[in-house]
Amino acid sequence: TNRECASHMLRKKLPFLHSLLSPVSRHVGHLTGHQYDVIVVGGGHAGTEAAAAAARVGAETLLITQKIHTIGALSCNPSLGGVGKGQLVKEVDALDGLCGRAGDWAGIHFSILNRRKGPAVWGPRAQLDRQRYRDFIQSELLSTPRLTMVEGSVEELLVTEPNPEEPGHHRVTGIRLGTQSVVLTTGTFLSGSLFVGQTTSPGGRIGDAPSSAGLSHTLRERLGLRTGRLRTGTPPRIVKDSVDLSLAKLHLPDSHPTPFSFLNTHTHCKPEEQLPCYLTFTTPGVERVVRESLQLNCHIQQDTKGPRYCPSIESRVLRFPGRSHQVWLEPEGVTSDLLYPQGLSMTMPPDIQLRLIREIPPMRRAEIHTPGYGVQYDFVCPTQLSPALQVKSTQGLFLAGQINGTTGYEEAAAQGLWAGANAARSALSMPTVTLSRTESYIGVLIDDLVSRGVTEPYRMFTSRAEFRTSLRPDNADLRLTPKGFEEVGCVSSVRYQESLRVRNSLQDALTALQALFLSTSSWKKKLPSVPISETKSTLLTGLDLLQYNDVTFEMLASAFPESLSSFMEFAQRLKIEAVYKPHCDLNKKEIERIQREENMSLPQDIDYFSLPVSLSDEVREILDRVRPSTLGAATRLEGITPAAVVNLLNYVRVTEKKKETHRNQRQQEAQRDEELCANSASLPQ
Amino acid sequence: MLPLRPVCGGIWRAAVHTVRMSRGAPPYRLFSSTCDGAPAALADADTIFALSSGHGRCGVAVVRVSGPASATALRCMAGFTQRLPPPRTALLRSITDPRSTEVLDRGLVLWFPAPRSFSGEDSVEFHIHGGPAVVTAVLQALGSVPGLRPAEAGEFTRRAFQAGKLGLTEVEGLGDLIHAETEAQRRQALRQMSGELGRLYQDWSDRLKRCLAHVEAFIDFSEDELIEDGVLNRVDVSVSDLQAEIERHLKDERRGERLRSGVQVVIAGATNAGKSSLLNKLCQRPAAIVSPIAGTTRDVVETALDLGGFPVLLSDTAGLRDSSDLVEREGVRRARERVEQADLTLVVVDSHLRSVLPDTGTVPCVCLLMHRLCLLVLNKADLLPEKQRQKLDTELRGVSGLPAVRLISCQTNEGLKAFLTVLHSSVKTLCGDPLFGAPTLTQARHRAHLQRCAAALAQYQRYRDTDLALAAEGVRLAVTSLGRITGRVGAEEILDIIFKDFCIGK
């Protein structure tokens, strides 16, 4: 099989592994000799969160990136959050990550998407000022203890020779600088190439030096990792003054901006200082330009087996011809004189890009500041990772962001935080931790990646979360902050204390609501405006009442000020809790069952083909290929039968019992030995 | 695939276990499990029921109920209005239908409060008369009690396992047992799903998936992308149509197809092996045309038999071979389909062919032998010289894992009696297995899933205007419930529909 083949090759190469190290850039030179616990490669959304999280957990951390001043740069769209993505931002913030607070600092247009569709699917979103976002991230990292940043380019990884007993298994030892853990967050730079029209050049982002193919080569050839290739793109940036915005539809932000972070009560930008967005539409002329220029468009010509969704304007008009498509004109910052045309990602030659945008009425006379372009890059098939985002076959090597086949800032940040925290834990000899898909979108994201893999850039949607009604943006702090402090160590005690205060207050408020136990007629007297059905003769609690559409917590609090008025700061959260409580209670049993199964880990070194358990060959093959880390993950695999699950469960229980007996025996023996030693020591000489 | 994965997997399985079947005031709610000492943790668990004795001719049938609402079932079906009977004591009671209070049977009832029961949960056993009418009536009555649903494959044993009630040897056999139950359920489902009913369910499933995809698209993308305003309105119409159709179907008893009852025994094998001759021998009349021409039988010939008191549905099928004849090809397809659904297959082989096992055109037969319950019948013993018989004997002995083999001759009746004895005992074993047959159970299960599906669609309508996330949850539940009949639906499948129907940008 491939695996055997790869490990065979690795064994043959052994003696040279140590000498294959990198020409790390000159800036790093003076650091040689310094030991770091964790080295993070890359300074994008994944890298910055990873470095900050590793340092928060307590690891001496080094962040290496090509240019310090591009740390925290928004390479593509100037916005954060949205439906599904906003949930990720809230969760990253609940784990004390950076992006939520950075968004609150840099946001210049805040809105909650899906406002009328139910709080579980609200999508907090903001347009950002690029400069402010970068400034915030950089100053936050500079003031983070235990974190060093350095400019450099990493070409090779140092790894140990594989253990002869475990062929194909390595441990990362550094990148010339010694380290325990490495987090790779190379984004689109892993063997990246840029496409504009018919020209192709190596690189991951316009204006930045290409990274070498060496790293990609190390991962593939030396560590035997399977990689694939993905594509993405970005639209041209338009000169704002050249656009007639009066021809586009004005889109205003929320009049009261809602901050992303649980720690913030307001955003940096004042409500009245927010900038608007504009909406416009493509015309038949756009489709004509795309079709006429197809032969000049390398990126699109290679689009044989692209993603199911439409990554560029070219694929939009080709796949859905004859329609008008939305184009959002978004501000790039308070002082920026550019506009970002969301929906117009394109890779045709620059002169044709200009022709295309001028087919859209507000841009008839528009000028392009920087043309759009496409990027193709390598990713590592994420099924080779553990739920801690560690490469299964290489201890200490963690991957996060686009290198795992995802797209989007929020997806990258979420993985970065989790990989960074785990890299630090691993370096500090603490066990790695996992997040379940039953408790967070981050868990859904990671579980989907490591157990299903990707065939197109993975993006978060709320429909991917089966427990969507429980995993809401409003309760991310309750779900994750205590765990982040108690089990992961990536949350500051200030945030932790605040989350406890919130949790206790909410609990007290719900108890107080349930203690209001009145007949329907008494409720009618208290709240005359609410249509309470007369036929209901039973007693209703305040919590029941709060589930009514037209009852707000404020109404209840003014009717019962003595018991409820102290909880006014949580009015909205309490309303949401009340409405969703019955549904979450229904989910609870299923969640508990899944968590039980997820708590049973399957050893990573099982030989599924020789396992003395009744399993079909087909099932053995699936298990061997995917190597699920828990019984829960195995249960979710396509093709695993109920019988196979029970047999695996039984196997896990029996081996655990054996291990325990073994451990007890050893303990007893050790104790006996100690006693013997003690006795012999006390013997007179 | 059909609902083969009832207990495991399923990305959108979410809360299907815990949906209440009727949200409008359930009549039995007042005395549900609150006072019966059920542990609070189990309060939300489902209560399951199944026929746990054999099918076919038997004097007494045992129906088992397990879960927190067991006491409710006991109260409303065995007339214990005040207090429950003493634990683990058999009492003779009238068993009534809680909807009509009509007496269905007189039988023994036993009450096993948790944890001292087979499953470790509150349990009830009804020992009733074994006739199919009584059994069906009791199962249907149980299905009408709120909180109760028919058990999925292996569910009783799984619960016992989780409660630590199984011994070591029983645990080791559990996987095999669940495999057998899943297989039995799969075969039953296959039988029901071929034909008009299957097409109906499939159509509902396709329409529901589309509804879900469109609601999800509206939730995830409508703020950024151009999703026409009418999308949700079309879903509204579709959902209410579906709900009405499913409810009508549930009310209309005639629409359920008549279910073929009995052990499904299928005769299969290469052409001209003597399959039709065997059918005629077994039913003692020339039910099928027999000729020396290979490929005589083209369609499935079906006869009902009474084999030593057990109901058997015997099917003769077209000989398995590659053919260019369109009609014969269809016959072979039907033959294979029938073998898929069979409880027991009689693989007929022409014994005087040089080698019975592989490479003599019987390869498909040998494939049939794998993984299935079957008997190998070597026909045309009369044409076999003595010397070759011995050779055949040693040859067969050398192959491990072969099913029971019988050498017969339909021409001279040689070996037929011994073969009948083996067949009879196989059928008897199958009938003694509570999992086998009982089409009423499959039907009850389908009913339960359809009821949940309709109830979940009502949730969509209830929340449509106030909270689309909760409304979508209703459609998700409906998809999951129906998916238990027509096959699991994953998140990726829904995303496929979304990306096909809407232009979603990066």
Side-chain angles (χ1 to χ4, degrees):
Chain A
T1 66
N2 281 341
R3 255 169 54 96
E4 278 162 0
C5 207
S7 60
H8 181 66
M9 275 164 46
L10 287 166
R11 249 172 296 170
K12 273 166 69 180
K13 281 188 166 181
L14 296 186
F16 307 103
L17 284 185
H18 263 287
S19 59
L20 276 171
L21 56 105
S22 53
V24 176
S25 110
R26 61 200 151 81
H27 301 273
V28 183
H30 67 279
L31 290 165
T32 328
H34 194 300
Q35 269 285 334
Y36 288 95
D37 297 317
V38 173
I39 296 176
V40 177
V41 182
H45 295 270
T48 51
E49 293 288 354
R56 288 202 302 278
V57 170
E60 278 299 324
T61 306
L62 177 72
L63 187 153
I64 302 182
T65 182
Q66 285 190 350
K67 291 181 199 159
I68 296 251
H69 80 268
T70 60
I71 287 181
L74 302 162
S75 316
C76 200
N77 51 314
S79 62
L80 185 75
V83 181
K85 289 166 176 279
Q87 271 85 338
L88 285 173
V89 175
K90 299 291 277 190
E91 292 187 358
V92 167
D93 180 68
L95 291 166
D96 230 352
L98 311 172
C99 68
R101 285 177 295 130
D104 291 342
W105 178 262
I108 47 173
H109 171 122
F110 288 86
S111 61
I112 302 258
L113 305 187
N114 277 349
R115 177 74 89 173
R116 278 188 296 277
K117 292 178 200 153
V121 294
W122 282 357
R125 185 179 186 279
Q127 295 298 143
L128 305 174
D129 180 303
R130 290 181 190 276
Q131 189 56 46
R132 282 188 193 170
Y133 191 87
R134 198 154 61 182
D135 291 348
F136 183 93
I137 294 282
Q138 287 179 12
S139 75
E140 191 72 17
L141 292 182
L142 278 172
S143 62
T144 302
R146 293 181 290 275
L147 178 60
T148 312
M149 288 180 279
V150 65
E151 284 190 349
S153 171
V154 174
E155 305 272 326
E156 288 282 355
L157 282 177
L158 291 177
V159 291
T160 59
E161 301 168 8
N163 181 343
E165 284 172 20
E166 283 182 287
H169 285 248
H170 300 262
R171 191 163 57 78
V172 73
T173 61
I175 46 166
R176 187 191 286 166
L177 307 162
T179 189
Q180 296 294 317
S181 302
V182 169
V183 186
L184 290 184
T185 66
T186 50
T188 54
F189 282 81
L190 199 61
S191 303
S193 33
L194 304 174
F195 289 77
V196 186
Q198 287 173 299
T199 47
T200 303
S201 54
R205 178 170 59 198
I206 279 216
D208 286 299
S211 57
S212 103
L215 201 54
S216 187
H217 182 267
T218 316
L219 296 173
R220 256 201 318 262
E221 302 302 327
R222 196 119 53 81
L223 300 177
L225 295 176
R226 273 176 289 119
T227 60
R229 214 151 163 79
L230 288 175
R231 60 181 60 220
T232 183
T234 193
R237 311 299 196 266
I238 314 289
V239 177
K240 196 177 188 174
D241 287 345
S242 66
V243 179
D244 183 356
L245 290 170
S246 67
L247 294 176
K249 197 177 153 207
L250 184 71
H251 187 85
L252 293 175
D254 289 353
S255 50
H256 298 286
T258 313
F260 289 106
S261 175
F262 287 100
L263 294 185
N264 289 336
T265 50
H266 57 273
T267 58
H268 176 64
C269 182
K270 292 200 180 75
E272 65 279 11
E273 287 169 355
Q274 296 185 92
L275 299 179
C277 289
Y278 298 87
L279 176 63
T280 180
F281 295 89
T282 62
T283 56
V286 168
E287 194 171 327
R288 202 177 53 243
V289 173
V290 168
R291 289 191 186 279
E292 282 169 10
S293 64
L294 268 188
Q295 77 285 356
L296 301 172
N297 201 331
C298 280
H299 198 64
I300 291 304
Q301 279 165 11
Q302 289 177 15
D303 198 73
T304 45
K305 197 180 58 114
R308 293 174 293 181
Y309 59 88
C310 304
S312 61
I313 188 63
E314 290 96 328
S315 52
R316 298 188 130 199
V317 302
L318 293 177
R319 221 176 290 175
F320 294 89
R323 288 196 202 179
S324 168
H325 301 273
Q326 287 189 15
V327 175
W328 290 94
L329 299 172
E330 302 175 348
E332 291 240 322
V334 179
T335 55
S336 169
D337 30 12
L338 300 181
L339 282 176
Y340 179 93
Q342 167 100 302
L344 283 185
S345 206
M346 58 179 87
T347 57
M348 56 196 66
D351 54 321
I352 302 184
Q353 293 192 15
L354 190 64
R355 255 180 67 201
L356 187 148
I357 61 158
R358 290 188 170 182
E359 292 289 341
I360 300 171
M363 294 192 272
R364 288 256 185 261
R365 271 178 282 278
E367 294 297 337
I368 288 178
H369 178 269
T370 322
Y373 59 93
V375 193
Q376 293 189 9
Y377 55 98
D378 281 355
F379 75 101
V380 174
C381 301
T383 49
Q384 300 164 104
L385 305 179
S386 75
L389 295 177
Q390 180 167 210
V391 175
K392 286 178 187 172
S393 62
T394 308
Q395 199 204 321
L397 180 58
F398 294 78
L399 310 180
Q402 278 167 307
I403 194 173
N404 290 340
T406 60
T407 176
Y409 301 158
E410 304 78 2
E411 288 83 352
Q415 293 171 70
L417 185 146
W418 204 242
N422 271 305
R425 291 182 60 85
S426 159
L428 302 173
S429 307
M430 295 186 279
T432 56
V433 280
T434 55
L435 269 179
S436 165
R437 63 185 300 127
T438 60
E439 63 188 337
S440 62
Y441 275 74
I442 304 180
V444 171
L445 167 70
I446 294 176
D447 185 51
D448 281 350
L449 289 178
V450 304
S451 54
R452 292 162 170 273
V454 297
T455 50
E456 64 191 0
Y458 180 100
R459 171 178 159 187
M460 183 48 74
F461 310 121
T462 67
S463 56
R464 295 190 189 274
E466 54 274 63
F467 300 110
R468 180 166 66 189
T469 47
S470 303
L471 311 183
R472 301 187 309 268
D474 64 281
N475 65 11
D477 56 342
L478 301 184
R479 292 185 276 119
L480 296 175
T481 305
K483 179 170 179 153
F485 182 81
E486 291 157 12
E487 294 172 39
V488 188
C490 66
V491 169
S492 71
S493 95
V494 176
R495 186 187 282 267
Y496 177 60
Q497 293 304 334
E498 170 63 10
S499 84
L500 292 188
R501 183 187 74 87
V502 171
R503 186 171 72 185
N504 294 339
S505 310
L506 287 174
Q507 200 49 56
D508 292 347
L510 291 175
T511 313
L513 281 167
Q514 268 168 318
L516 298 172
F517 206 56
L518 302 180
S519 68
T520 35
S521 52
S522 320
W523 278 116
K524 275 183 100 67
K525 262 178 235 147
K526 283 277 185 187
L527 303 167
S529 64
V530 181
I532 302 170
S533 159
E534 283 284 13
T535 51
K536 275 197 179 160
S537 55
T538 43
L539 296 170
L540 291 175
T541 68
L543 198 60
D544 294 330
L545 257 286
L546 199 48
Q547 288 169 12
Y548 279 61
N549 285 337
D550 23 21
V551 175
T552 62
F553 183 79
E554 287 86 346
M555 289 161 70
L556 292 175
S558 60
F560 298 93
E562 65 289 353
S563 59
L564 297 180
S565 61
S566 58
F567 303 113
M568 277 303 289
E569 70 172 298
F570 302 110
Q572 189 186 50
R573 290 188 70 158
L574 284 165
K575 171 74 185 172
I576 299 175
E577 284 287 337
V579 171
Y580 278 85
K581 195 170 181 301
H583 303 273
C584 295
D585 287 348
L586 285 177
N587 280 346
K588 218 169 173 179
K589 199 190 110 209
E590 180 71 0
I591 288 179
E592 280 167 4
R593 191 189 61 76
I594 292 180
Q595 283 176 346
R596 259 200 317 275
E597 285 175 352
E598 278 175 348
N599 283 336
M600 294 193 206
S601 54
L602 294 169
Q604 282 305 295
D605 51 355
I606 299 188
D607 179 0
Y608 283 105
F609 289 108
S610 67
L611 200 66
V613 168
S614 158
L615 294 173
S616 71
D617 289 347
E618 191 199 345
V619 167
R620 284 177 199 270
E621 218 155 88
I622 296 170
L623 290 170
D624 181 66
R625 181 161 40 83
V626 183
R627 310 216 140 251
S629 52
T630 66
L631 190 73
T635 307
R636 283 190 291 275
L637 292 176
E638 204 70 47
I640 301 294
T641 61
V645 171
V646 170
N647 280 326
L648 274 180
L649 174 68
N650 199 22
Y651 170 79
V652 172
R653 285 204 179 164
V654 170
T655 40
E656 268 175 9
K657 204 173 258 177
K658 266 189 201 154
K659 261 190 222 153
E660 202 171 304
T661 343
H662 192 66
R663 220 178 8 247
N664 288 346
Q665 268 173 1
R666 276 228 304 259
Q667 259 172 8
Q668 281 170 4
E669 276 164 23
Q671 216 171 347
R672 230 184 7 247
D673 287 351
E674 241 168 62
E675 280 166 19
L676 276 177
C677 280
N679 287 342
S680 59
S682 64
L683 281 177
Q685 298 258 314
Chain B
M1 284 293 264
L2 287 157
L4 310 187
R5 317 191 56 215
V7 259
C8 85
I11 185 161
W12 283 6
R13 191 174 34 166
V16 74
H17 282 299
T18 38
V19 159
R20 295 264 155 64
M21 275 161 57
S22 54
R23 274 182 178 272
Y28 314 104
R29 196 94 175 264
L30 291 177
F31 38 73
S32 70
S33 62
T34 43
C35 56
D36 302 318
L42 286 173
D44 268 330
D46 275 7
T47 299
I48 52 173
F49 64 89
L51 178 68
S52 40
S53 61
H55 178 72
R57 180 178 293 186
C58 55
V60 175
V62 177
V63 176
R64 221 177 224 172
V65 183
S66 173
S70 297
T72 314
L74 192 58
R75 288 194 150 114
C76 62
M77 285 183 58
F80 293 101
T81 44
Q82 293 299 314
R83 63 174 70 170
L84 290 169
R88 295 171 297 281
T89 310
L91 291 175
L92 183 64
R93 306 292 290 191
S94 291
I95 292 157
T96 55
D97 189 324
R99 294 164 296 185
S100 61
T101 66
E102 173 199 357
V103 175
L104 303 172
D105 194 16
R106 270 179 79 73
L108 295 180
V109 293
L110 289 106
W111 162 234
F112 302 92
R116 292 176 63 191
S117 71
F118 167 73
S119 59
E121 304 175 313
D122 282 353
S123 301
V124 170
E125 278 183 15
F126 294 94
H127 296 213
I128 51 177
H129 290 97
V134 172
V135 173
T136 308
V138 170
L139 290 177
Q140 277 176 0
L142 281 168
S144 74
V145 178
L148 262 66
R149 62 166 174 85
E152 297 289 347
E155 220 174 351
F156 272 98
T157 341
R158 250 181 103 96
R159 289 190 181 195
F161 174 62
Q162 251 141 24
K165 288 276 177 179
L166 297 187
L168 203 64
T169 45
E170 287 168 304
V171 171
E172 266 161 20
L174 183 61
D176 294 337
L177 180 75
I178 288 179
H179 178 70
E181 291 192 25
T182 322
E183 272 299 297
Q185 211 179 74
R186 187 184 68 90
R187 286 199 305 269
Q188 283 170 11
L190 270 176
R191 282 175 205 151
Q192 292 221 330
M193 289 296 292
S194 45
E196 199 192 326
L197 202 57
R199 274 193 298 278
L200 182 68
Y201 291 167
Q202 202 52 57
D203 170 57
W204 285 344
S205 170
D206 291 344
R207 284 158 64 194
L208 256 181
K209 276 188 271 188
R210 196 168 205 89
C211 286
L212 180 57
H214 287 199
V215 177
E216 294 291 2
F218 196 74
I219 288 177
D220 271 336
F221 307 109
S222 66
E223 300 262 346
D224 280 336
E225 310 291 341
L226 190 62
I227 292 192
E228 302 80 357
D229 291 339
V231 166
L232 224 46
N233 296 335
R234 284 199 296 279
V235 171
D236 293 346
V237 174
S238 230
V239 162
S240 71
D241 284 355
L242 274 163
Q243 197 190 348
E245 279 174 48
I246 294 173
E247 273 163 4
R248 209 160 42 223
H249 174 83
L250 282 168
K251 269 188 214 132
D252 187 355
E253 303 285 342
R254 286 166 306 170
R255 289 208 63 165
E257 284 175 12
R258 195 182 69 84
L259 294 161
R260 289 167 302 172
S261 180
V263 183
Q264 313 267 321
V265 178
V266 173
I267 307 179
T271 48
N272 231 6
K275 295 178 297 298
S276 302
S277 303
L278 182 62
L279 174 90
N280 291 346
K281 277 287 164 212
L282 288 173
C283 61
Q284 294 172 310
R285 66 187 170 89
I289 302 168
V290 179
S291 89
I293 302 163
T296 304
T297 307
R298 298 201 157 185
D299 205 348
V300 177
V301 178
E302 209 171 67
T303 7
L305 284 184
D306 184 305
L307 199 69
F310 295 105
V312 167
L313 198 78
L314 187 66
S315 316
D316 180 24
T317 61
L320 301 173
R321 67 167 177 186
D322 293 328
S323 169
S324 55
D325 183 326
L326 223 67
V327 181
E328 189 172 354
R329 269 225 298 269
E330 173 61 16
V332 171
R333 192 193 64 77
R334 289 184 185 191
R336 289 182 190 281
E337 188 182 87
R338 210 38 92 88
V339 170
E340 271 289 300
Q341 304 169 4
D343 296 312
L344 174 67
T345 312
L346 305 178
V347 181
V348 184
V349 177
D350 183 346
S351 66
H352 89 291
L353 290 176
R354 213 160 36 83
S355 171
V356 173
L357 291 169
D359 305 318
T360 54
T362 56
V363 180
C365 306
V366 176
C367 294
L368 293 179
L369 300 181
M370 320 290 282
H371 318 297
R372 293 194 192 288
L373 188 53
C374 66
L375 295 178
L376 184 54
V377 183
L378 306 180
N379 192 17
K380 306 192 186 177
D382 51 308
L383 298 178
L384 213 57
E386 189 54 37
K387 224 166 99 187
Q388 226 177 317
R389 274 186 192 218
Q390 282 167 7
K391 203 174 142 220
L392 184 65
D393 209 37
T394 40
E395 199 182 328
L396 287 175
R397 248 177 253 248
V399 186
S400 60
L402 264 193
V405 185
R406 281 288 166 263
L407 186 65
I408 64 160
S409 164
C410 290
Q411 199 67 40
T412 62
N413 288 349
E414 178 193 339
L416 212 59
K417 210 171 157 197
F419 165 69
L420 272 174
T421 317
V422 176
L423 181 60
H424 180 235
S425 85
S426 306
V427 168
K428 194 174 160 186
T429 316
L430 276 172
C431 279
D433 183 347
L435 314 167
F436 143 77
T440 46
L441 248 193
T442 314
Q443 226 173 13
R445 203 163 26 232
H446 284 189
R447 267 191 97 73
H449 294 319
L450 290 176
Q451 270 159 354
R452 278 166 190 234
C453 185
L457 290 177
Q459 176 174 338
Y460 171 82
Q461 279 156 347
R462 190 162 54 248
Y463 288 106
R464 160 68 169 83
D465 294 323
T466 53
D467 191 314
L468 204 60
L470 292 176
E473 190 87 349
V475 188
R476 282 183 177 201
L477 286 173
V479 167
T480 316
S481 303
L482 196 61
R484 286 175 172 249
I485 305 176
T486 57
R488 191 161 72 95
V489 180
E492 287 300 312
E493 205 177 321
I494 298 300
L495 287 175
D496 272 339
I497 302 177
I498 294 179
F499 292 128
K500 209 176 287 161
D501 288 2
F502 303 104
C503 177
I504 308 292
K506 190 179 77 151

